[in-house]
Amino acid sequence: MAMPSSLLWAVDIFGRVYTLSTVGQYWELCKDTQLEFKRVSAVKQCCWGIACDHQVYTYVFSGDVPIRYQEETYENQRWNPVGGFCEKLLPSDRWQWSDVSGLKHQQLDSFTLPSPHWEWESDWYVDENIGGEPTEKGGWTYAIDFPSTYTKDKRWNSCVRRRRWIRYRRYKSRDVWAKIVSQDEPDQLPDPFNDISIGGWEITDEPLGRLSVWAVSLQGRVWYRENVCHHNPEGSTWSLVTTPGEVVQISCGPYDLLWATLWEGQAIVREGIDRNNPQGISWSIVESPSSENGIMHVSVGVDVVWCVTKDRKVWFRRGVNSHNPCGTSWIEMVGEMMMVTVGLNNQVWGIGCDDRAIYFRQGVTPSELSGKTWKAIVSGRESDRSQTGSSTSLLSAGCFFTDDIQNQTSAVIQGDADPSSDTELPTSPASTALLGAAAAGDGPASQADTSARLPVDPLHAEQGEATAASARNDKDNLDMNKPPGNPNPSAELQWINIDLKEAQKHPVLSVSSFADTSSLSSLGAFSVGAEDQYGADEHPLWAWVSGGGCLVDLHSPLKWFSAPSGLSSSVQSLSLSITPAQTAAWRKQIFQQLSERTKRELENFRHYEQAIEQSVWVKTGALQWWRNWKPHKWMDVRVALEQFTGSDGMRDSILFIYYMYHEEKKYIHVFLNEVTIIVEVLNEAKHSFALYTPERTKQRWPIRLAAATEQEMHDWLSLLNMSCCESRRIQGPPSHHAIWSVTCKGDIFVSEPSPELEAGPQQMPCDQMFWRQVGGHLRLIESNSRGVVWGIGHDHTAWLYTGGYGGGFIQGLASSADNIYTQSDVKCVYIYENQRWNPVTGYSSRGLPTDRYMWSDASGLQECTKTNTKPPSPQWSWVSDWYIDFSAAGGTDREGWQYAADFPASYHGHKTMKDFVRRRRWARKCKIVTNGPWLEVPPVTLWDISIIPSSDADDEEAVALWAISDKGDVLCRLGVTQQNPAGTSWLHVGTDQPFISISIGAFYQVWAIARDGSAFYRGSVSPNKPAGDCWYHIPSPQKQKLKQVSVGRTSVFVLDKNGNLWYRQGITPSYPQGSAWDHVSNNIRKMSVGPLDQVWVIADKVQGSHSLSCGTVCHRTGVQPLEPKGLSWDYGIGGGWEHITVRGNATEASRGAVPDTTEENPAASKEGEDEESKGKTEHSKTPLMVSESQELDRNSVNC
Amino acid sequence: MTDDKDVLRDVWFGRIPTCFTLYQDEITEREAEPYYLLLPRISYLTLVTDKVKKHFQKVMRQEEVSEIWFEYEGTPLKWHYPIGLLFDLHASNTALPWSITVHFKNFPEKDLLHCHSKDVIEAHFMACIKEADALKHKSQVINEMQKKDHKQLWMGLQNDKFEQFWAINRKLMEYPPEDNGFRYIPFRIYQATTERPFIQKLFRPIASGGQLHTLGDLLKDVCPSAITPKGGDCWFLMHCTHCSVFPQNLSLR
């Protein structure tokens, strides 16, 4: 299986671009080898570079999900008595073809592809959907007049109508270097580029892949590329950013950090970069660490800055953060480097100035940002393994200065008369590039000359150029008619005439000293002449490296540092040669021999006394207990777990809790074989957990205990879990039929369904289900009855279940050893800044005395300031600073504010006259690192997923798996089988809008929900046609926006945004779309319909005998073939649950007679399905509740 | 499917039926009945024979009782060898139950170590564990453990608590996946001879050529004579699983 990996990009001194994977051992040549490069700057999804023609190129990785952009235009018509609706509009009307506002004239044929890198996906077509509802054929929407609100129905007063035409274009130049074509006026084009840096994707929290692309021209000017984002990977135009001096190099971090180096040796730091102003506002100057040697190169990360001075010393900037991007002081680091690059996680790489090797900075951690030591990457090149000393490629030392020369180069390519180009075809571009280099040195006259002038390395060349630029600026009388980069005499010094054949033997020759001619001399003093011993098959010589897309994970070791030799590869192959099957056979053999021995030695002596008595084993400890009586609070208790070994060798355990009640010693006890779940409870301050039994589930009042330290809690949890599993004789991995659920905390639980669970009238109450925890942290899980289980994290990462068990705090024997991996998840903590308007100062943080806290949680009831808000539990750590969240529901203004008439109210994103209060949401990211039986499925991040709930199919048959990416693309996974549950690739299924939910039924019925709340049915999906053919729009239940769909065997249920559950009526094989929606229940948060058409939900507001719970697992009772909607609810574990999937459970019990009625759980019967809660019941502290779910709760039931 | 855990469990719960009889020359007040017991293979004699001691002391005068020691067919049994090892080494061909003679006098000073308390056994046991970890992980794992983890290992052995023991011992048995195994395989090859009771050498799990070593390679390397048909006399004590008897065809992974 593919482990998630990322790439380190580098350019060798011959301009060839290589990548090194974090899971790889070899440098791989970039797929597109047509060009040589001077500089590259990479992020995860793409790389930008400056080729030797000084043009900018972008390399966008191919992926399963296409980059597509929707163009739209509106066709407008007006009714007149003669011809009805026609194209003839009033003179005061809008254009007949216009944009949505009517202000811009947009005919269909006025749309052209923005660059040669795009293609049309299809022709124009009419959109037959208005706000989630299907329109009549033709897509017309009607109104009284322009501009107005449009409806899908034509009325007597509908005088105008319009319809929306859409067409998609698709970016096609992926996995190749796409030249950035400028559409600007020729005289406004920037001069040739010299340096480029990309980053800034974290400035906004949008998942759209917005990038900041900064470039430096040869003249030292800084340019910013506008509008680079996911669906516009090339950006639109270059805009000039003024600088206090001539810039030679620039570096842009993932957030708002941007540094550049000036010709004079200082650094400049951009200030004021934020979401509304990604270009920033002003520059500050930072002096070089040493007065003699200016800064030559700088590289920045999230909050770190490294630089190299002209004497090649490496420096680390202290005190850099988002409030102080300039930092405080320089610290000198060990080592001499040509350049350094800061990548993801603030990891650092550099190019050594003596050996031109790439070094990785080891030991860079959040607490030690400057790291410990440099370690050389000794990975060889992929090509070196097969290549038998091809030296021709060595000659590709292209360095070009201008467009003019590039034209010459192409001429050479056409001519192809170069003697070296027929020696080796694959490197012919390199050879021609060499000729180009010759041209660069000598001018057009020497074009046909076979003597090449080798720039000894690109850095020299750049330096030469830079010198040229500087010199030109210094002397105004320099001839400006020359091409801007034409080398002046001083730069000429670095070019050496060598014979081509000679060059093949001695690829690199010594360079004449450049030191005297330039203030940047130190940059070029690397003498390759001394490096004769390095041929192409020796270690590569590097010119540039970019780690901006390279994520070095501290948990997975890199294979970069040991030479890939025959030895290690043979070790690898040998260790792989022991197959799991062999291991299993061997284990079985040993086991048999042991069994035989036991039989031999013990058979006749079992009546003998044991040497060591199996006595009662007790673990005791001091914990805190959330006491039973009011006022409820934590009290100190002694706890003892007593384990007995029965005569059959099985264990049972009792947990005793000893407490004082009115100075009287008392205790409560729990038989662990009655415990249904032990669950950690989210609490900032306490390490606490809850124990449920069926009785306590009915009460909604578990036993809650807290330990002093996390370790102590995990010891107890681990032990109690093991005892529970032992007493129920549960071990090993969950079965394929297991029911999976996820709490709002992200903890994962699994339950083995008994056959009685879906057994009609004798159905087992679901509060008796036993849940055990599985390591890892997820937002949702989907499974099917063939053991294919996928999960999605809060950070939308897709995870595949490995078949293991245990992990997390469950260590030792309760955990499988082989298939537990590190897992991490990232989520946001939100707080609110609240303000009230007053006539004197306008909005201020001074509220009315009755107001909420000025910094609060969503409800306003809890004070939450930036400083006192902690991560959700001690397992989480902050990974960002607080930032304004612009994605809050309801929209925000440019500063993130949402307005309302008063607290609490519904908020909107713009200020009106009636608004007296405003709030804005601040977010801070936190991360958990844990482990569990999960492996990442890179690279597409997901929002939803569904797996076909097939029950009886053979192993080889493909398993249909559909997903929604976090951008809303519908995807169909290919190649998923029971043997290969990860599948192979995603197939993109086109939609006209982003989607949010998807489900596939047992007979390939695919239903989906779009972001506008409408439902769609996918036609003709079958094993042979996995993606189906087209979408059918299904009208939503009246006035409801849908949010989730689940399709079982034949049943289709949807959930709307107000928590109503609906059943689709009238579905038949010949009419799979059904006819109408039938209301089933309210207060539902999430649902899962299984292969038996069983219906399970997460419900809010379930009333127990002691407390109310939100986020409760509920099971629909009385579901029968003739009664697919069922009759009532049976209440299970909760609250605090977020997600459940029963799609693996196809174990059908033999059904008895059809029941007349279904008994309802008496304890839970207070809350009937139709009964609206009066909101009077005590909403006491329920376990696992976080403010988020409380907010959700409030929203959905309006209490 | 068989799980590692099943194997470990069977190794742990290996028992040898034993008949203890008092040495004929011991002075007793009345006749001493033989005492029958199932001894755990992985434990130590002096750790599991409290009952035996109590049983025989009942028939003896207090002053006649000094340090207990055990003997099988004239060979004093070293308490610091695991019971399973003693049995396989000296008595594997005997009929069961294993007949052990109990002595309270004439402690054979030159053959046996004194064992005055269980602390001595604990010290010996921990020393073995530490030695093995030094070979496996340069002692990194054992040194990172807390005192209570060490205690849990020992208590697990002492009280025959498989889970308790393995919850900790598991850590000692892990190695980073990129290492392909332990640094060295800790092993001892015991022989029933007195001049050289056991052989111990540094042995890597992976040959210089990259192949995985098998136990056969180890034997060939360390003790060529054992390859002869007579090799059955060798008894393998793998400290890496601590005190587990393995059949000979074991690969060293």
Side-chain angles (χ1 to χ4, degrees):
Chain A
M1 177 182 308
M3 290 286 285
S5 64
S6 57
L7 297 176
L8 180 68
W9 287 71
V11 182
D12 71 6
I13 59 166
F14 306 108
R16 289 171 303 193
V17 179
Y18 288 86
T19 57
L20 177 61
S21 164
T22 46
V23 296
Q25 243 181 323
Y26 295 96
W27 287 100
E28 286 183 42
L29 197 58
C30 177
K31 277 185 194 153
D32 182 357
T33 54
Q34 296 296 308
L35 291 157
E36 275 95 41
F37 278 80
K38 286 160 37 108
R39 297 275 165 99
V40 290
S41 178
V43 294
K44 269 191 165 172
Q45 71 272 24
C46 68
C47 182
W48 286 61
I50 296 173
C52 293
D53 58 4
H54 285 153
Q55 295 295 307
V56 175
Y57 292 81
T58 180
Y59 188 102
V60 181
F61 291 118
S62 70
D64 297 332
V65 185
I67 296 172
R68 57 208 293 265
Y69 184 79
Q70 186 189 59
E71 301 280 16
E72 64 163 25
T73 190
Y74 285 84
E75 182 182 4
N76 307 301
Q77 291 194 343
R78 178 173 284 279
W79 188 85
N80 74 49
V82 184
F85 282 104
C86 69
E87 302 166 2
K88 225 177 277 162
L89 298 166
L90 295 179
S92 58
D93 277 344
R94 53 190 58 192
W95 309 93
Q96 193 213 326
W97 291 90
S98 72
D99 68 350
V100 64
S101 67
L103 301 174
K104 195 178 160 205
H105 187 201
Q106 286 190 152
Q107 283 174 293
L108 290 183
D109 56 13
S110 67
F111 289 87
T112 54
L113 291 172
S115 81
H117 306 302
W118 292 84
E119 63 191 1
W120 291 112
E121 208 169 68
S122 64
D123 205 351
W124 288 96
Y125 58 95
V126 169
D127 179 23
E128 293 180 344
N129 170 14
I130 172 172
E133 284 188 77
T135 63
E136 301 270 308
K137 205 95 191 121
W140 290 105
T141 58
Y142 299 87
I144 298 167
D145 197 2
F146 302 119
S148 181
T149 48
Y150 299 83
T151 60
K152 67 185 177 105
D153 303 312
K154 185 161 83 173
R155 302 210 182 92
W156 64 272
N157 60 354
S158 299
C159 292
V160 297
R161 66 177 187 179
R162 70 172 189 185
R163 58 179 173 179
R164 181 170 174 252
W165 289 79
I166 50 184
R167 188 182 196 186
Y168 280 95
R169 56 182 159 87
R170 192 185 281 251
Y171 186 77
K172 63 178 182 184
S173 296
R174 299 175 80 174
D175 266 359
V176 293
W177 289 106
K179 185 171 173 180
I180 299 298
V181 187
S182 246
Q183 291 158 333
D184 308 271
E185 291 296 303
D187 52 316
Q188 286 177 353
L189 275 178
D191 46 332
F193 285 114
N194 188 41
D195 190 32
I196 193 157
S197 183
I198 63 177
W201 65 90
E202 300 268 19
I203 293 174
T204 68
D205 199 35
E206 295 155 26
L208 289 173
R210 202 205 65 84
L211 268 186
S212 294
V213 176
W214 295 82
V216 177
S217 69
L218 280 178
Q219 292 179 351
R221 296 197 291 177
V222 169
W223 299 83
Y224 176 82
R225 186 77 182 168
E226 302 281 357
N227 301 326
V228 181
C229 61
H230 171 74
H231 59 255
N232 188 18
E234 307 152 282
S236 51
T237 52
W238 291 107
S239 49
L240 184 66
V241 177
T242 53
T243 50
E246 274 177 51
V247 172
V248 287
Q249 186 258 333
I250 198 160
S251 176
C252 173
Y255 283 89
D256 50 4
L257 205 56
L258 176 81
W259 282 51
T261 55
L262 291 183
W263 185 250
E264 287 78 16
Q266 303 107 319
I268 52 173
V269 182
R270 194 67 175 169
E271 295 193 347
I273 292 180
D274 64 21
R275 172 191 154 91
N276 297 321
N277 204 348
Q279 287 188 34
I281 294 163
S282 59
W283 296 102
S284 314
I285 293 185
V286 170
E287 291 298 328
S288 169
S290 77
S291 48
E292 309 91 72
N293 294 296
I295 296 172
M296 176 177 90
H297 180 96
V298 68
S299 187
V300 304
V302 175
D303 46 9
V304 299
V305 175
W306 291 68
C307 87
V308 178
T309 45
K310 288 168 186 172
D311 52 1
R312 293 187 233 134
K313 289 212 165 72
V314 180
W315 305 80
F316 176 83
R317 186 75 178 171
R318 228 199 290 244
V320 176
N321 57 52
S322 57
H323 308 294
N324 182 19
C326 294
T328 49
S329 61
W330 293 107
I331 314 172
E332 190 178 342
M333 309 305 287
V334 176
E336 296 196 335
M337 294 284 162
M338 300 303 301
M339 56 97 54
V340 288
T341 176
V342 181
L344 300 176
N345 259 347
N346 290 328
Q347 301 295 317
V348 182
W349 294 261
I351 295 180
C353 53
D354 295 329
D355 55 1
R356 279 304 176 104
I358 293 176
Y359 288 83
F360 174 61
R361 186 79 181 166
Q362 283 201 308
V364 174
T365 60
S367 54
E368 194 170 1
L369 288 166
S370 58
K372 293 198 170 79
T373 54
W374 295 106
K375 189 162 184 183
I377 296 175
V378 299
S379 300
R381 284 163 299 191
E382 181 84 273
S383 53
D384 295 345
R385 292 198 292 179
S386 51
Q387 195 172 300
T388 51
S390 158
S391 53
T392 322
S393 57
L394 264 180
L395 295 170
S396 57
C399 265
F400 307 90
F401 289 142
T402 65
D403 264 323
D404 303 357
I405 293 174
Q406 197 229 348
N407 294 337
Q408 291 159 12
T409 313
S410 37
V412 174
I413 291 168
Q414 283 154 18
D416 204 15
D418 172 44
S420 69
S421 64
D422 54 4
T423 56
E424 237 189 55
L425 264 178
T427 53
S428 72
S431 319
T432 52
L434 171 73
L435 284 190
D442 271 358
S446 69
Q447 188 180 333
D449 199 338
T450 47
S451 73
R453 298 178 162 210
L454 264 186
V456 277
D457 79 65
L459 270 188
H460 284 266
E462 289 153 30
Q463 180 190 0
E465 296 141 22
T467 317
S470 144
R472 187 170 54 251
N473 282 313
D474 287 345
K475 303 172 196 165
D476 280 342
N477 58 354
L478 197 84
D479 186 3
M480 292 306 285
N481 294 329
K482 280 184 174 180
N486 200 18
N488 67 9
S490 70
E492 194 87 272
L493 280 174
Q494 67 180 308
W495 302 90
I496 310 269
N497 274 311
I498 50 167
D499 183 84
L500 198 67
K501 282 175 184 161
E502 281 288 313
Q504 286 176 341
K505 288 176 198 157
H506 305 286
V508 279
L509 293 183
S510 63
V511 64
S512 61
S513 170
F514 186 53
D516 303 332
T517 57
S518 162
S519 57
L520 254 188
S521 60
S522 57
L523 198 152
F526 171 66
S527 164
V528 271
E531 309 290 335
D532 271 349
Q533 68 269 26
Y534 297 121
D537 301 311
E538 298 296 326
H539 87 76
L541 303 176
W542 297 107
W544 196 261
V545 60
S546 172
C550 189
L551 183 65
V552 175
D553 181 5
L554 298 172
H555 304 280
S556 46
L558 297 165
K559 298 179 206 152
W560 297 347
F561 308 112
S562 54
S565 65
L567 176 96
S568 57
S569 60
S570 75
V571 168
Q572 219 171 19
S573 63
L574 267 160
S575 58
L576 287 173
S577 72
I578 297 177
T579 64
Q582 285 171 321
T583 314
W586 172 65
R587 190 187 288 127
K588 196 174 168 193
Q589 194 191 347
I590 292 183
F591 184 66
Q592 275 169 357
Q593 288 172 350
L594 281 167
S595 301
E596 279 163 26
R597 188 188 73 182
T598 307
K599 199 176 162 204
R600 190 173 65 237
E601 294 178 351
L602 271 179
E603 197 167 39
N604 300 315
F605 305 99
R606 289 209 184 269
H607 57 284
Y608 276 28
E609 201 179 332
Q610 291 282 350
I612 303 171
E613 286 299 329
Q614 288 292 328
S615 51
V616 174
W617 185 67
V618 182
K619 179 181 166 86
T620 58
L623 294 177
Q624 284 192 311
W625 175 53
W626 185 251
R627 70 184 194 188
N628 263 342
W629 63 91
K630 285 180 181 171
H632 298 296
K633 63 175 188 183
W634 292 104
M635 68 182 297
D636 291 331
V637 289
R638 295 288 305 171
V639 177
L641 178 72
E642 293 195 12
Q643 286 195 332
F644 307 95
T645 307
S647 52
D648 52 355
M650 292 308 294
R651 294 262 180 74
D652 201 0
S653 313
I654 307 178
L655 181 71
F656 292 90
I657 298 165
Y658 300 93
Y659 61 94
M660 297 297 286
Y661 184 72
H662 297 309
E663 301 188 5
E664 190 185 341
K665 263 193 182 172
K666 289 193 158 196
Y667 74 89
I668 54 171
H669 67 281
V670 194
F671 289 97
L672 286 198
N673 62 9
E674 288 177 3
V675 169
T676 53
I677 191 169
I678 301 160
V679 53
E680 264 181 85
V681 178
L682 194 61
N683 193 322
E684 294 175 0
K686 288 249 186 266
H687 306 278
S688 65
F689 58 95
L691 255 83
Y692 282 90
T693 60
E695 189 52 36
R696 294 204 170 255
T697 305
K698 290 187 182 85
Q699 294 172 348
R700 306 283 146 205
W701 191 266
I703 295 174
R704 295 179 64 190
L705 294 167
T709 65
E710 190 181 359
Q711 184 57 48
E712 201 180 319
M713 176 179 72
H714 284 164
D715 284 351
W716 275 103
L717 279 174
S718 188
L719 182 68
L720 291 171
N721 256 303
M722 198 148 92
S723 304
C724 285
C725 288
E726 248 178 10
S727 64
R728 290 174 184 262
R729 307 189 179 200
I730 290 174
Q731 59 171 12
S735 77
H736 292 176
H737 296 296
I739 297 175
W740 297 77
S741 69
V742 180
T743 67
C744 61
K745 193 177 158 292
D747 286 335
I748 302 155
F749 289 88
V750 65
S751 178
E752 289 301 329
S754 75
E756 291 79 45
L757 198 57
E758 305 292 348
Q762 287 80 43
Q763 185 174 292
M764 175 184 132
C766 61
D767 55 20
Q768 291 181 11
M769 292 166 74
F770 173 68
W771 296 92
R772 60 177 165 143
Q773 193 164 352
V774 169
H777 191 272
L778 293 171
R779 180 171 60 86
L780 65 83
I781 296 180
E782 284 297 319
S783 65
N784 81 347
S785 52
R786 286 165 64 187
V788 179
V789 183
W790 285 52
I792 302 177
H794 288 79
D795 60 359
H796 310 305
T797 306
W799 298 91
L800 176 74
Y801 173 61
T802 62
Y805 56 99
F809 64 81
I810 307 157
Q811 300 291 329
L813 295 162
S815 177
S816 54
D818 305 335
N819 34 26
I820 300 291
Y821 301 94
T822 300
Q823 198 202 22
S824 67
D825 204 355
V826 174
K827 67 176 185 182
C828 284
V829 171
Y830 299 104
I831 59 172
Y832 289 82
E833 181 182 5
N834 306 300
Q835 293 192 345
R836 178 172 287 278
W837 188 86
N838 70 59
V840 185
T841 55
Y843 281 106
S844 78
S845 55
R846 192 142 22 118
L848 299 178
T850 56
D851 269 349
R852 54 182 56 196
Y853 294 102
M854 290 298 105
W855 289 89
S856 74
D857 66 350
S859 69
L861 302 174
Q862 292 275 333
E863 182 169 32
C864 296
T865 63
K866 284 185 186 177
T867 44
N868 78 7
T869 303
K870 294 192 175 66
S873 82
Q875 288 165 282
W876 292 81
S877 52
W878 295 123
V879 290
S880 81
D881 207 344
W882 287 104
Y883 60 91
I884 297 166
D885 180 21
F886 295 88
S887 57
T892 71
D893 70 2
R894 275 174 62 90
E895 289 178 311
W897 292 104
Q898 299 185 294
Y899 298 84
D902 199 356
F903 300 120
S906 67
Y907 296 86
H908 42 260
H910 54 275
K911 182 177 155 34
T912 68
M913 288 299 288
K914 289 180 230 154
D915 293 327
F916 288 97
V917 297
R918 64 178 187 179
R919 68 170 190 185
R920 61 178 169 186
R921 187 157 85 162
W922 291 76
R924 191 173 189 188
K925 285 184 188 163
C926 54
K927 183 174 186 177
I928 188 169
V929 177
T930 173
N931 60 43
W934 307 96
L935 265 180
E936 188 176 343
V937 187
V940 180
T941 45
L942 300 182
W943 182 259
D944 194 22
I945 200 161
S946 180
I947 308 169
I948 191 166
S950 56
S951 51
D952 41 356
D954 67 271
D955 290 1
E956 300 300 315
E957 194 188 309
V959 173
L961 187 154
W962 287 63
I964 309 274
S965 80
D966 68 336
K967 294 189 179 72
D969 296 297
V970 176
L971 305 166
C972 178
R973 189 75 175 171
L974 301 179
V976 179
T977 62
Q978 200 164 348
Q979 308 302 319
N980 179 28
T984 50
S985 62
W986 292 108
L987 179 65
H988 180 258
V989 179
T991 58
D992 290 339
Q993 57 169 318
F995 276 41
I996 53 171
S997 172
I998 194 138
S999 187
I1000 179 168
F1003 303 109
Y1004 294 86
Q1005 319 96 291
V1006 174
W1007 288 68
I1009 306 293
R1011 198 174 281 171
D1012 67 4
S1014 54
F1016 286 86
Y1017 173 79
R1018 184 75 180 172
S1020 307
V1021 180
S1022 70
N1024 300 326
K1025 201 173 183 184
D1029 57 7
C1030 63
W1031 293 108
Y1032 297 94
H1033 192 165
I1034 312 288
S1036 314
Q1038 202 191 358
K1039 297 217 170 68
Q1040 299 294 346
K1041 295 210 177 295
L1042 302 179
K1043 68 173 187 185
Q1044 198 209 340
V1045 61
S1046 189
V1047 187
R1049 192 168 57 179
T1050 56
S1051 290
V1052 177
F1053 283 83
V1054 293
L1055 194 56
D1056 69 35
K1057 288 178 179 166
N1058 293 316
N1060 296 302
L1061 181 66
W1062 303 82
Y1063 169 74
R1064 187 67 177 172
Q1065 281 191 328
I1067 290 178
T1068 62
S1070 58
Y1071 195 60
Q1073 304 170 29
S1075 52
W1077 296 110
D1078 209 355
H1079 188 257
V1080 179
S1081 179
N1082 58 0
N1083 281 337
I1084 309 298
R1085 188 186 287 188
K1086 200 86 189 261
M1087 51 134 182
S1088 179
V1089 181
L1092 308 170
D1093 280 339
Q1094 72 268 43
V1095 182
W1096 291 67
V1097 297
I1098 305 292
D1100 281 330
K1101 290 188 72 80
V1102 168
Q1103 180 62 50
S1105 55
H1106 281 49
S1107 169
L1108 184 76
S1109 75
C1110 298
T1112 306
V1113 171
C1114 301
H1115 181 196
R1116 191 71 182 167
T1117 61
V1119 173
Q1120 293 288 322
L1122 294 173
E1123 186 69 62
K1125 286 168 62 186
L1127 295 167
S1128 66
W1129 294 110
D1130 179 29
Y1131 302 90
I1133 191 65
W1137 257 250
E1138 275 292 315
H1139 180 86
I1140 187 167
T1141 180
V1142 296
R1143 294 171 66 83
N1145 185 17
T1147 42
E1148 201 161 2
S1150 50
R1151 285 178 188 238
V1154 179
D1156 327 340
T1157 51
T1158 306
E1159 271 183 53
E1160 210 176 314
N1161 193 318
S1165 62
K1166 280 189 202 168
E1167 181 80 358
E1169 60 173 286
D1170 298 319
E1171 188 186 333
E1172 279 291 343
S1173 171
K1174 306 291 180 288
K1176 295 286 179 203
T1177 42
E1178 182 205 9
H1179 192 143
S1180 73
K1181 229 178 156 133
T1182 48
L1184 282 165
M1185 275 299 133
V1186 288
S1187 53
E1188 258 174 51
S1189 50
Q1190 279 170 354
E1191 185 191 16
L1192 218 166
D1193 182 26
R1194 230 183 320 282
N1195 292 343
S1196 58
V1197 294
N1198 301 315
C1199 63
Chain B
M1 202 190 109
T2 328
D3 198 11
D4 273 343
K5 192 175 165 183
D6 299 328
V7 174
L8 297 178
R9 198 177 266 282
D10 267 32
V11 168
W12 182 272
F13 288 107
R15 296 283 187 268
I16 297 167
T18 314
C19 171
F20 290 93
T21 45
L22 193 64
Y23 184 54
Q24 56 205 14
D25 292 355
E26 299 282 347
I27 299 155
T28 60
E29 291 183 318
R30 54 184 189 276
E31 195 182 344
E33 297 281 329
Y35 195 74
Y36 297 92
L37 213 51
L38 287 175
L39 298 182
R41 274 177 165 268
I42 42 78
S43 196
Y44 296 102
L45 266 179
T46 42
L47 193 59
V48 295
T49 47
D50 285 350
K51 285 178 179 176
V52 178
K53 202 164 150 187
K54 222 177 267 168
H55 172 82
F56 292 115
Q57 279 175 354
K58 276 190 289 191
V59 297
M60 293 171 71
R61 260 180 291 157
Q62 215 38 245
E63 58 269 26
E64 300 293 338
V65 177
S66 65
E67 191 175 353
I68 189 170
W69 59 281
F70 304 93
E71 164 253 311
Y72 169 71
E73 288 185 350
T75 313
L77 295 174
K78 296 183 167 66
W79 63 263
H80 63 282
Y81 285 11
I83 292 163
L85 164 64
L86 291 171
F87 176 76
D88 293 348
L89 204 58
H90 302 296
S92 52
N93 296 323
T94 187
L96 291 172
W98 186 19
S99 190
I100 290 180
T101 311
V102 179
H103 294 259
F104 285 97
K105 276 196 297 216
N106 304 324
F107 193 86
E109 303 280 348
K110 68 174 178 43
D111 292 322
L112 296 186
L113 300 170
H114 281 286
C115 179
H116 293 296
S117 77
K118 289 191 174 155
D119 296 345
V120 182
I121 316 173
E122 182 181 356
H124 167 71
F125 168 77
M126 288 314 297
C128 287
I129 293 274
K130 283 175 183 165
E131 182 185 350
D133 198 56
L135 295 172
K136 287 184 290 188
H137 308 109
K138 301 181 183 172
S139 299
Q140 274 162 6
V141 179
I142 194 81
N143 288 344
E144 277 166 23
M145 280 186 187
Q146 295 177 6
K147 185 76 195 152
K148 67 166 190 173
D149 295 335
H150 291 180
K151 207 74 197 168
Q152 187 172 337
L153 266 181
W154 167 245
M155 295 302 283
L157 179 77
Q158 183 174 327
N159 297 332
D160 195 25
K161 300 289 182 197
F162 175 68
E163 271 85 10
Q164 205 183 337
F165 179 84
W166 269 98
I168 303 297
N169 196 48
R170 185 185 170 94
K171 292 176 196 160
L172 291 165
M173 296 302 297
E174 285 165 349
Y175 51 81
E178 71 270 15
D179 282 5
N180 251 319
F182 296 127
R183 238 163 57 86
Y184 297 104
I185 299 285
F187 72 95
R188 275 181 193 159
I189 295 175
Y190 291 90
Q191 300 174 104
T193 56
T194 39
E195 65 273 18
R196 197 178 177 196
F198 63 81
I199 306 169
Q200 194 167 10
K201 264 191 174 179
L202 287 182
F203 193 79
R204 284 188 180 274
I206 296 163
S208 55
Q211 300 92 346
L212 290 170
H213 271 137
T214 64
L215 193 56
D217 295 330
L218 187 150
L219 278 181
K220 220 179 287 176
D221 186 42
V222 175
C223 169
S225 64
I227 301 298
T228 62
K230 218 179 131 283
D233 288 347
C234 283
W235 199 93
F236 300 100
L237 175 67
M238 305 298 291
H239 283 265
C240 53
T241 57
H242 190 76
C243 310
S244 305
V245 194
F246 278 101
Q248 273 200 21
N249 56 353
L250 178 76
S251 147
L252 286 184
R253 274 170 71 91

